[in-house]
Amino acid sequence: MSNVMDNRCPSCNAPITFNPTLGKFKCEYCDCEFTAEELKSVEDSQVALTEEGKAPEYVSYNCPDCGAQIIADETTSATFCLYCGNSSILKNKLSGEFKPDKIIPFKKVKEDAIEAFKKLAKGRIFIPKDFLSEKNIEKITGLYIPFWLYDFKVNGGIFLNATKIKSWASGDMRYTQTDYYDVYREGTFGYDMVPCDGSKKFNNDIMNSIEPFNYKEMVDFNPAYLSGFLAERFDVSKDEAFPEARDRVLRSTEEQMMADAVGYSSKSLVTKNLNATAVNTRYALLPVWMVNIKYEDKYYLFAMNGQTGEFIGDIPLDKKKATKFFLILMVVLFVVITAIYYIAAMMGAM
């Protein structure tokens, strides 16, 4: 039987999870605190004493309803799928190539995500009655999303047509002079850690909306950070994700070169010759709090950056509530208008 990642307190052997506020692992039973390195050191010494001498492995759950692959420790075996809400999930091994290089640990706790979720619904009078139910709020879960981070070197140049226009008046006449220029810009640009989503299940637009992440706080991957959270493994390879990241840096380079051509009244791109080379690639896990709520056969996603607190979400419209409101409003307006018309008619008769 395979070993399962299960962080235990070195002091009392109770389950221990990562506390984003402290930036450490805290035992809720004996209040002891440990860094990831300290837990790793204890884990390594324990591995050395085991009969097989094998390091703990992860397990992945494959949702039979939507196919999402979730990586977590054994304590998540009775949980729900974050994408479709299905609670029936299957175990499978995670190995080798799926081990991340880097990770940004959670800094925002669940209470922060709940507050942001409630804030999203404020002022929305047509929100469904049970959308903010305790049942849905409790489903907000911390999830590590897989990302590829590329370091790029871009070189080349662009050729532009540009104009300078000046006008002046002399007597009753006004003159306009237009000068035409051929403009060339070239250079070399470096880009560090350009992110590209490694999951087909997670909406790229939503991920872009809760960026950026502070990569200065990224650390070497340590399995202890997964304790208390879920993590999805990548299903988009680094080669499949590369074109999107490459196009992103090429667009940024072109825009920067265009912006560098200053002092012209107008400018237009004629040709470009830009080449992007990936000099380094990292596989990283980035923290997100999220919940997917089903309402009238449609899923509504809420997501919050687990590091910065930036959030985005969809709120459904309760059509029955909205219809009832507008019917009442129409009746009230009809009564008011009728009353005004009646009073005006009575005053005219007098």
Side-chain angles (χ1 to χ4, degrees):
M1 181 177 178
S2 299
N3 294 321
V4 178
M5 184 190 70
D6 187 14
N7 292 307
R8 295 279 173 175
C9 175
S11 296
C12 68
N13 204 39
I16 188 170
T17 59
F18 181 70
N19 187 308
T21 302
L22 297 174
K24 295 181 179 181
F25 294 83
K26 182 175 181 179
C27 178
E28 299 298 326
Y29 294 86
C30 68
D31 286 330
C32 289
E33 298 174 8
F34 304 89
T35 65
E37 289 71 29
E38 289 170 339
L39 281 186
K40 184 70 164 53
S41 177
V42 173
E43 177 189 309
D44 289 344
S45 63
Q46 291 173 342
V47 169
L49 295 175
T50 60
E51 184 176 347
E52 293 95 3
K54 295 181 180 179
E57 296 179 9
Y58 306 105
V59 291
S60 67
Y61 304 108
N62 199 249
C63 176
D65 192 36
C66 72
Q69 292 175 309
I70 305 295
I71 302 164
D73 60 20
E74 192 175 32
T75 60
T76 62
S77 60
T79 191
F80 55 90
C81 172
L82 294 175
Y83 296 98
C84 69
N86 194 305
S87 60
S88 178
I89 49 183
L90 305 174
K91 295 181 179 180
N92 197 8
K93 288 185 178 181
L94 176 69
S95 58
E97 63 178 325
F98 295 107
K99 182 180 179 181
D101 302 309
K102 299 286 184 178
I103 188 171
I104 295 181
F106 275 87
K107 291 188 70 176
K108 299 296 181 180
V109 295
K110 186 172 183 177
E111 288 72 21
D112 297 321
I114 291 173
E115 183 180 349
F117 181 60
K118 291 180 177 179
K119 181 179 177 181
L120 187 67
K122 276 187 177 179
R124 303 179 188 236
I125 61 175
F126 300 132
I127 187 173
K129 181 180 179 181
D130 60 346
F131 194 77
L132 292 176
S133 67
E134 286 299 319
K135 180 182 69 174
N136 286 331
I137 288 176
E138 281 305 309
K139 285 184 179 180
I140 296 177
T141 305
L143 171 68
Y144 282 107
I145 302 292
F147 265 76
W148 296 106
L149 304 176
Y150 302 89
D151 294 343
F152 277 99
K153 179 180 179 181
V154 181
N155 55 53
I158 63 174
F159 183 76
L160 310 173
N161 283 338
T163 64
K164 287 184 179 181
I165 302 173
K166 63 179 181 179
S167 300
W168 69 93
S170 178
D172 295 333
M173 300 294 292
R174 184 162 188 85
Y175 299 90
T176 299
Q177 176 181 314
T178 302
D179 296 321
Y180 296 88
Y181 297 87
D182 292 333
V183 181
Y184 184 70
R185 289 289 184 273
E186 72 173 315
T188 300
F189 293 76
Y191 296 88
D192 293 331
M193 289 183 284
V194 178
C196 193
D197 189 355
S199 171
K200 295 177 182 177
K201 303 295 187 301
F202 201 80
N203 188 302
N204 288 346
D205 292 336
I206 292 179
M207 201 65 201
N208 292 337
S209 298
I210 63 174
E211 287 183 359
F213 287 85
N214 181 3
Y215 295 111
K216 291 182 180 179
E217 296 180 345
M218 189 165 62
V219 298
D220 290 337
F221 177 72
N222 187 321
Y225 286 116
L226 295 184
S227 182
F229 302 99
L230 301 181
E232 185 189 352
R233 73 180 188 182
F234 72 82
D235 54 7
V236 177
S237 71
K238 64 180 180 181
D239 293 333
E240 292 174 318
F242 174 78
E244 181 180 337
R246 178 197 59 205
D247 292 345
R248 185 173 178 177
V249 297
L250 289 176
R251 286 194 302 270
S252 295
T253 302
E254 180 184 329
E255 290 170 0
Q256 183 58 47
M257 287 184 167
M258 288 282 288
D260 187 58
V262 297
Y264 298 99
S265 303
S266 68
K267 50 192 174 183
S268 60
L269 180 67
V270 179
T271 60
K272 59 183 177 181
N273 182 22
L274 300 172
N275 299 292
T277 304
V279 295
N280 192 22
T281 306
R282 304 173 186 84
Y283 173 37
L285 296 181
L286 305 184
V288 178
W289 287 100
M290 64 178 290
V291 64
N292 213 351
I293 300 174
K294 188 176 182 180
Y295 176 72
E296 293 187 347
D297 297 324
K298 182 179 178 181
Y299 288 101
Y300 293 85
L301 178 69
F302 164 83
M304 186 183 86
N305 188 314
Q307 180 194 38
T308 68
E310 187 70 26
F311 68 89
I312 189 174
D314 296 325
I315 297 293
L317 172 71
D318 188 328
K319 296 178 181 178
K320 291 182 179 178
K321 187 185 291 186
T323 301
K324 183 178 179 180
F325 174 84
F326 286 112
L327 285 175
I328 293 174
L329 180 62
M330 289 176 64
V331 170
V332 171
L333 288 174
F334 176 77
V335 171
V336 170
I337 293 172
T338 301
I340 293 173
Y341 178 80
Y342 176 77
I343 293 172
M346 291 291 291
M347 292 181 66
M350 294 173 62

